[in-house]
Amino acid sequence: MSTKNRMSGNEALGEAIRQINPDADNAIRETSDRLREAAQLYAVAIADETGRTVSDCPDGTKRIDIDALRKSASAESLLYEILSPFGYNESQVRDIMLSLDSESGRRFQTSDAILIKDRSALILRMNRSQVPFSGRLEVRDGACSQLPDGRAITLKILAGDGSLIRDSRIAMLDADRLQPELTVRTWRNGDSFVPLGMKGRKLISDFMTDAKMTLLQKESQIVVCSGEDIVWVAGRRIDNRYRINGSTDRIAVLEYVCPTSEEDRR
């Protein structure tokens, strides 16, 4: 059927409806207006529920609180609206809802993102390769090691009388105890260090569990090494053997630098 014939058919149908109900045009417009208003109310409600359920984390992931999700009047619809921009379809969302009572670790992936069921939340991040990373960082003022996710670790040298900086993103180490070049890498099974304030060794895996880190945070955790020693679990804790003290002449100040968008969320 040609476009012209279809238009003629539509016009004829419209005319027939108007003959049956002279107010049909007004009724259609009113219905359209109500539907538009309903859609606006739905969008506002979803935005409000999303604000109570989803939080942005400093590492660039999104945390969907399971308890808050369950309290929603329509949890599955809310979860669909949250996840559909990341490529999740209705079937996947239904499976995710069914997994809420399961053990941690179940994964749901699209070409755009990966979602992991954690203890009390669903953790969502943009999909990226989990190939282990290893880089170098010279112990000199102004050195920098770029990480694959856009973050970086910088280093500057201060005199030993510098004041202590209390910030989890910053590590202050005795520069003269460090080797001339540090290794910046993803942590490995079996890695251990001596956490600040302790005398004995602790496995990195146990340290991360005690810190209640999410599975995604554990996967991407970076460590800084001097030779075989891990001197800093980046953004978390330094090794006690490399702490500064009254006899420190030079301080190596390492900083975990995030992209601007992540800094704004801190």
Side-chain angles (χ1 to χ4, degrees):
M1 181 183 292
S2 68
T3 302
K4 181 177 181 181
N5 289 338
R6 282 198 299 270
M7 291 178 62
S8 297
N10 291 338
E11 291 171 357
L13 178 61
E15 183 59 32
I17 292 174
R18 281 189 288 274
Q19 288 178 0
I20 297 171
N21 181 5
D23 292 329
D25 286 342
N26 290 333
I28 291 171
R29 278 194 296 270
E30 289 174 0
T31 299
S32 177
D33 289 342
R34 283 195 294 272
L35 289 173
R36 187 162 48 249
E37 290 173 0
Q40 291 172 346
L41 288 172
Y42 177 78
V44 170
I46 288 295
D48 186 51
E49 292 274 8
T50 298
R52 288 195 290 266
T53 307
V54 182
S55 56
D56 291 328
C57 301
D59 61 1
T61 61
K62 291 183 180 293
R63 183 182 187 278
I64 304 171
D65 186 274
I66 290 176
D67 285 342
L69 178 64
R70 282 179 165 144
K71 291 176 182 177
S72 171
S74 183
E76 189 169 321
S77 294
L78 174 61
L79 188 60
Y80 176 79
E81 294 296 341
I82 293 170
L83 296 180
S84 58
F86 300 94
Y88 290 89
N89 57 38
E90 292 179 359
S91 177
Q92 288 173 301
V93 170
R94 194 171 301 114
D95 287 342
I96 294 169
M97 288 297 301
L98 292 173
S99 78
L100 295 185
D101 292 319
S102 65
E103 294 183 359
S104 299
R106 189 166 178 189
R107 295 166 180 254
F108 303 87
Q109 192 165 346
T110 68
S111 59
D112 297 327
I114 180 170
L115 181 139
I116 292 183
K117 162 68 172 61
D118 206 15
R119 292 180 293 272
S120 60
L122 301 170
I123 309 300
L124 177 73
R125 75 156 180 227
M126 298 308 294
N127 202 2
R128 61 175 181 262
S129 172
Q130 286 300 308
V131 175
F133 167 77
S134 181
R136 300 290 177 182
L137 180 66
E138 294 182 62
V139 181
R140 61 172 177 80
D141 196 52
C144 177
S145 179
Q146 194 71 39
L147 306 180
D149 60 2
R151 290 179 287 182
I153 292 181
T154 61
L155 187 151
K156 61 183 178 181
I157 302 295
L158 299 180
D161 57 355
S163 58
L164 190 63
I165 302 173
R166 299 187 182 279
D167 187 324
S168 63
R169 293 171 296 180
I170 293 176
M172 301 183 73
L173 308 173
D174 189 322
D176 294 318
R177 290 178 176 268
L178 300 173
Q179 293 195 7
E181 187 175 72
L182 306 177
T183 301
V184 179
R185 62 170 174 82
T186 310
W187 78 283
R188 303 168 187 155
N189 285 327
D191 278 347
S192 65
F193 77 131
V194 181
L196 180 66
M198 295 178 61
K199 294 182 179 179
R201 284 188 169 274
K202 192 179 187 72
L203 288 170
I204 298 294
S205 56
D206 291 342
F207 173 79
M208 294 190 296
T209 297
D210 291 346
K212 301 189 184 305
M213 292 171 60
T214 69
L215 293 171
L216 287 178
Q217 288 173 330
K218 291 177 182 178
E219 284 184 357
S220 59
Q221 180 62 53
I222 294 293
V223 295
V224 179
C225 308
S226 177
E228 296 298 317
D229 292 342
I230 292 176
V231 298
W232 187 31
V233 180
R236 301 284 174 177
R237 189 83 63 86
I238 67 169
D239 187 290
N240 193 65
R241 297 166 296 177
Y242 291 84
R243 72 190 186 280
I244 61 174
N245 54 45
S247 62
T248 300
D249 292 324
R250 297 187 308 141
I251 301 173
V253 181
L254 283 67
E255 182 173 2
Y256 208 175
V257 181
C258 299
T260 303
S261 58
E262 290 189 22
E263 292 282 2
D264 292 342
R265 286 194 292 266
R266 288 186 180 273

